Amino acid sequence: MRTHFCGLVDEALIGQTVTLCGWADVARNLGGLCFIDLRDHEGIVQIVAEPSDAEGNAQVLAAAAQVGYEDCLRITGIVRARHAVNDKIRTGKVEVVATKIELLNKAEPLPFHAHENPGEDIRLKYRYLDLRRPEMQQKMRTRIRLVQALRRWLDGRGFQDIETPILTKATPEGARDFLVPARMHEGEFYALPQSPQLFKQILMMAGFDRYYQIARCFRDEALRADRQLEFTQLDMEFAWVSERDVQDTVEVMIRDVFREVMGVELANPFPRMTYAEAMRRFGSDKPDLRFSMEFTDIAELVKHCEFKVFTDWANHEDGRVVALRVPGAATLSRKQIDDYAAHAAKHGAKGLAWMKVEDAGKGRDGINSPIAKFLDDATLAAIVQAAAATTGDLIFFGAATYKTASDFMGALRLKLGKDLGMVSEGWAPLWVTDFPMFEWDEEESRFVALHHPFTAPAVDDIADLRANAKTAVSRGYDMVLNGAEIGGGSIRIHSSAMQSAVFDLLGIGAEEAELKFGFLLDALKYGAPPHGGIAFGIDRIAALMAGTESIRDVIAFPKTTTAQCLMTGAPSPIPDAQLAEVHVAVRPKAKA
């Protein structure tokens, strides 16, 4: 239907006849002279319908005069140099003088204009119109280039693209499974995979050595800006490797892909930081290193002060009292400080103490703080000195369990950095290593895996692991970029005995382990090689590359934060007859 794309018409085509297809981005009727900006996925070109002696020109002008916004058109014309050059578009030095205009489909009045940015609900309901917008076209094309670059890199280095099942067995991997009733097996269910984890491990045992897959994964969990019910990840697994073998390979891959897609040179090598150091300095296992605010632990300074919140946690076995200096922030109003306290509360804080250093040379008289009256002069001076605070600085304090204080102060640090313009431009990659093997779940009174239950511990001795489970370190690692975890992986357990021991520590008894993971435990007995891997979040990397906060902007058809597809109306009720085929009955809704 066409000879060229709109956005690729250039000076090399001057004097030639072209046929273009696209949508009317703008149509201007000046009375005897009409202009149409014709748009396709490559861009926009200006079409001109003008008076001339050529036969049929009246029909061209008449057709151009009737063109409306987003009408679907096919236009034939002659390319010529443009008198008024438009440097803002790629085709700005040329225009096409129309000799034929065909209306392929008339557009009804649209719910929003392509150059508007309406509310997200409207955008998702009319996603096909939203995706036509040049801004969204650019974001989606960034994602496409990312996936193409990854595939080229992996295919060129001997990685084997192998598909794994979508209908599989329900296994605990940290989130709820999506369940699919099995029609041919009454009362039984498949699960949609949270990841291809076990299958890719078994591929290593099967001798495929280097595997990858652009995999669709499913997790029935709460949605937010960087989470969706269904998402895409680059899954990779290597046999006969250590941590550095995996890390060094994928670091080169990410560096090469960013160079190809973005023209960006990432650090070489990436900085490295242990989990313990990251939590101590930044309160996060994915710290944003584009700004430098760091924590100062002050528990030793406040163990005997009169401020009970500080003393309680400073003397608690698992407590933490931490200070965060915010340079030049003493000008923040009380309302602004209260807003930051509310933000910290969302992440677990029960309160947020603060201190303004209005004049560092005046000692107590230069301090403005509601907690200053509980601190003697020596303690006040020690805190200011330890935090390296100077005149005009603000200090926030967090006191709670080590994890809780780290979490809410880490979230506070991130918000302050963004709000106060501290985050620099550019890219800050990081490896975070040596994650804890387990976390203690207070509600369930048991250990849970910090990564997943197939991650190898740093120790090979099972007795040692059992004796020191609370402090055990895993062979897990994450790749972080600009404060976002873009990839996570580990060396896997390749011993059946060790895997059984880890299951036991996680409260998965022998009978349950055999029921859920018997196939894995069996496979580990038959010469399983040392192996490890990593998975990268395609949606998160694409969002970073496209410069957007939400992964919904780089997913063609995402769900809302309430887990709905507004365009199709999913999820939706299923007729009783169809439910009966899969042996499912829906329980009545509980009364409010």
Side-chain angles (χ1 to χ4, degrees):
M1 291 186 71
R2 61 188 171 194
T3 60
H4 297 80
F5 293 111
C6 298
L8 301 183
V9 177
D10 58 20
E11 293 168 287
L13 296 172
I14 289 176
Q16 296 185 32
T17 297
V18 297
T19 298
L20 311 171
C21 294
W23 289 275
D25 192 72
V26 175
R28 304 183 297 279
N29 184 355
L30 305 183
L33 182 66
C34 294
F35 294 93
I36 301 167
D37 287 350
L38 193 67
R39 185 189 74 246
D40 64 13
H41 74 284
E42 290 287 357
I44 288 175
V45 66
Q46 179 170 279
I47 309 296
V48 183
E50 60 186 10
S52 75
D53 297 330
E55 186 177 348
N57 191 65
Q59 288 89 340
V60 172
L61 273 171
Q66 297 301 313
V67 169
Y69 175 59
E70 290 299 294
D71 283 354
C72 191
L73 306 171
R74 180 165 73 165
I75 296 177
T76 299
I78 301 171
V79 181
R80 74 180 181 191
R82 186 167 170 172
H83 296 298
V85 172
N86 182 356
D87 292 328
K88 295 180 180 180
I89 58 175
R90 186 165 47 177
T91 62
K93 293 183 178 180
V94 296
E95 60 190 9
V96 177
V97 182
T99 57
K100 185 178 182 181
I101 297 178
E102 300 173 71
L103 177 63
L104 301 178
N105 204 345
K106 183 71 177 174
E108 294 185 7
L110 272 64
F112 61 90
H113 195 284
H115 297 285
E116 296 174 347
N117 190 2
E120 189 169 59
D121 284 358
I122 294 293
R123 290 177 55 200
L124 294 181
K125 182 176 181 180
Y126 300 98
R127 189 60 165 180
Y128 40 88
L129 299 179
D130 184 41
L131 289 173
R132 279 190 207 169
R133 297 191 301 130
E135 176 188 354
M136 289 300 295
Q137 286 275 316
Q138 183 59 40
K139 289 175 180 177
M140 290 303 300
R141 286 160 75 85
T142 297
R143 179 195 179 104
I144 291 164
R145 291 197 304 273
L146 165 63
V147 173
Q148 290 172 335
L150 288 169
R151 285 195 182 279
R152 278 194 295 270
W153 197 95
L154 293 160
D155 291 341
R157 287 161 179 80
F159 285 84
Q160 300 168 90
D161 183 0
I162 304 174
E163 293 180 343
T164 53
I166 293 295
L167 295 176
T168 184
K169 185 181 180 71
T171 57
E173 288 192 47
R176 292 186 187 90
D177 287 317
F178 278 101
L179 302 178
V180 180
R183 182 181 59 83
M184 293 183 288
H185 300 273
E186 184 174 351
E188 297 183 354
F189 294 81
Y190 301 104
L192 302 183
Q194 295 184 34
S195 79
Q197 181 63 44
L198 295 181
F199 289 105
K200 69 178 184 178
Q201 287 189 238
I202 287 173
L203 285 170
M204 297 304 98
M205 302 170 203
F208 286 95
D209 203 84
R210 283 191 165 197
Y211 144 97
Y212 87 93
Q213 183 182 185
I214 307 292
R216 294 292 282 172
C217 303
F218 307 85
R219 294 181 187 176
D220 189 1
E221 59 185 355
L223 278 71
R224 53 180 190 249
D226 66 345
R227 292 236 177 126
Q228 281 279 298
L229 300 179
E230 50 184 315
F231 56 96
T232 306
Q233 65 186 36
L234 167 62
D235 232 72
M236 303 174 67
E237 198 78 4
F238 308 65
W240 317 102
V241 288
S242 66
E243 292 92 326
R244 286 304 293 253
D245 294 323
V246 177
Q247 294 164 13
D248 291 349
T249 299
V250 300
E251 181 178 319
V252 172
M253 177 186 74
I254 292 298
R255 204 161 31 241
D256 287 351
V257 166
F258 265 78
R259 183 184 302 114
E260 178 179 340
V261 177
M262 300 291 292
V264 166
E265 290 291 339
L266 298 180
N268 185 10
F270 291 0
R272 307 177 72 82
M273 188 180 297
T274 65
Y275 171 90
E277 181 185 358
M279 297 302 290
R280 176 177 57 79
R281 294 172 60 189
F282 304 105
S284 172
D285 59 2
K286 46 183 184 295
D288 191 339
L289 299 186
R290 291 176 297 169
F291 65 108
S292 58
M293 280 198 301
E294 297 190 21
F295 295 167
T296 303
D297 284 290
I298 61 167
E300 291 299 320
L301 304 179
V302 296
K303 276 189 172 182
H304 306 293
C305 75
E306 294 182 17
F307 189 45
K308 191 172 185 300
V309 174
F310 282 2
T311 55
D312 284 353
W313 289 112
N315 290 284
H316 191 282
E317 179 185 5
D318 190 35
R320 185 177 198 187
V321 184
V322 64
L324 176 64
R325 178 181 74 95
V326 189
T331 55
L332 290 179
S333 68
R334 183 60 185 267
K335 181 184 183 307
Q336 288 174 305
I337 290 174
D338 288 345
D339 288 343
Y340 284 116
H343 180 75
K346 293 178 183 178
H347 296 269
K350 293 184 177 179
L352 189 67
W354 55 272
M355 181 184 294
K356 291 184 177 182
V357 183
E358 295 179 340
D359 190 333
K362 291 185 177 180
R364 175 180 293 276
D365 292 338
I367 298 295
N368 176 5
S369 171
I371 67 168
K373 60 188 177 184
F374 300 108
L375 306 172
D376 59 36
D377 290 352
T379 303
L380 271 177
I383 290 172
V384 171
Q385 181 179 7
T390 59
T391 299
D393 291 349
L394 172 65
I395 306 173
F396 282 113
F397 300 94
T401 64
Y402 194 94
K403 184 179 187 309
T404 300
S406 301
D407 286 348
F408 73 72
M409 291 297 285
L412 177 66
R413 172 187 179 269
L414 193 59
K415 183 168 176 58
L416 285 163
K418 291 179 178 178
D419 289 353
L420 303 182
M422 297 179 179
V423 181
S424 62
E425 295 293 327
W427 303 91
L430 173 71
W431 279 112
V432 179
T433 64
D434 301 321
F435 281 79
M437 187 72 184
F438 307 111
E439 282 185 308
W440 181 256
D441 189 313
E442 292 287 350
E443 290 184 6
E444 297 190 21
S445 296
R446 68 178 184 90
F447 286 117
V448 294
L450 195 68
H451 266 88
H452 55 58
F454 319 110
T455 297
V459 297
D460 294 325
D461 185 83
I462 292 175
D464 187 345
L465 178 65
R466 289 186 183 278
N468 300 287
K470 187 175 181 180
T471 57
V473 173
S474 78
R475 299 178 71 181
Y477 38 82
D478 284 355
M479 184 184 288
V480 176
L481 184 62
N482 292 3
E485 177 209 327
I486 63 170
S490 68
I491 297 302
R492 323 303 187 188
I493 298 169
H494 66 278
S495 155
S496 184
M498 177 62 81
Q499 186 65 78
S500 294
V502 169
F503 285 155
D504 186 50
L505 284 165
L506 293 171
I508 302 173
E511 185 175 339
E512 183 183 359
E514 181 61 32
L515 179 65
K516 293 181 176 179
F517 303 107
F519 64 96
L520 173 67
L521 295 172
D522 285 346
L524 291 171
K525 297 174 182 176
Y526 298 114
H531 59 284
I534 193 167
F536 288 97
I538 296 293
D539 310 307
R540 290 184 185 179
I541 298 175
L544 286 169
M545 286 181 163
T548 181
E549 294 284 333
S550 174
I551 63 172
R552 290 190 291 274
D553 283 344
V554 292
I555 297 174
F557 301 104
K559 305 292 188 293
T560 66
T561 53
T562 56
Q564 295 173 293
C565 175
L566 298 181
M567 186 182 74
T568 64
S572 60
I574 299 296
D576 289 343
Q578 191 173 351
L579 289 174
E581 289 181 349
V582 292
H583 321 293
V584 169
V586 177
R587 298 170 66 179
K589 290 184 179 179
K591 292 182 179 180

